[in-house]
Amino acid sequence: QKLFLMIDTNQSGSISLPELQAAFNKDNHKDLDDEVIENIFKAIDYDSSGDIHYKEFVAAFSESQGLITYDRLTDTFDRIDSSGKGYILHDDLKNILGENYNKETVDKMIEEGDFKKNGQVDFEEFLQLMYA
């Protein structure tokens, strides 16, 4: 979080391309030209909004540090989808959350990951959500 806030110099809650370029240039990465930095920016700006949001920043950083791997995501998906249906339903999240279950929160979680709008989150959607 500290790194994100240091790069977000205008305190907008997101990182712009000029802010990222300034951060690279300030931290002795002058060997990277603007085109390389722009490509890095585009890769992190998953939603193509023109800004890097905190969630995108954390995802990119975690992935670069090897914290998020395909195998770990597969294992996580399989744990949530304990019956092996190939998709996650509201009840799957309810079961895994136990006493921490909150209907509104789980509804939002399913809605956020249900890109196909069919009331479930399949593995492809799960990956899309995790890498977003």
Side-chain angles (χ1 to χ4, degrees):
Q1 186 179 17
K2 288 180 185 179
L3 179 59
F4 182 86
L5 294 173
M6 286 175 38
I7 298 171
D8 180 20
T9 56
N10 69 1
Q11 300 175 344
S12 65
S14 61
I15 297 172
S16 66
L17 177 58
E19 287 174 318
L20 188 65
Q21 289 168 327
F24 272 110
N25 290 329
K26 181 172 64 175
D27 289 333
N28 298 320
H29 292 290
K30 296 178 184 193
D31 55 324
L32 297 176
D33 63 27
D34 284 344
E35 183 179 344
V36 171
I37 297 171
E38 188 173 337
N39 287 336
I40 292 168
F41 183 88
K42 287 178 181 176
I44 298 172
D45 181 20
Y46 186 79
D47 66 0
S48 301
S49 66
D51 289 305
I52 297 172
H53 303 285
Y54 184 68
K55 180 179 172 184
E56 293 169 320
F57 183 82
V58 170
F61 184 79
S62 296
E63 187 176 359
S64 74
Q65 300 300 308
L67 301 175
I68 297 176
T69 64
Y70 183 84
D71 289 340
R72 286 184 177 157
L73 290 175
T74 300
D75 289 343
T76 301
F77 182 87
D78 289 344
R79 284 188 193 133
I80 298 169
D81 176 26
S82 59
S83 63
K85 304 176 299 301
Y87 52 86
I88 297 169
L89 295 172
H90 184 104
D91 284 344
D92 295 316
L93 291 172
K94 181 179 179 180
N95 290 336
I96 206 159
L97 291 171
E99 66 183 42
N100 295 315
Y101 168 74
N102 177 286
K103 182 181 183 333
E104 292 78 26
T105 301
V106 171
D107 285 343
K108 286 179 186 175
M109 292 168 75
I110 293 291
E111 182 181 328
E112 186 176 333
D114 183 15
F115 298 103
K116 297 175 184 173
K117 304 297 180 208
N118 59 4
Q120 61 193 30
V121 178
D122 63 26
F123 186 64
E124 178 184 315
E125 291 169 312
F126 182 77
L127 288 179
Q128 185 177 350
L129 179 66
M130 293 298 110
Y131 285 118

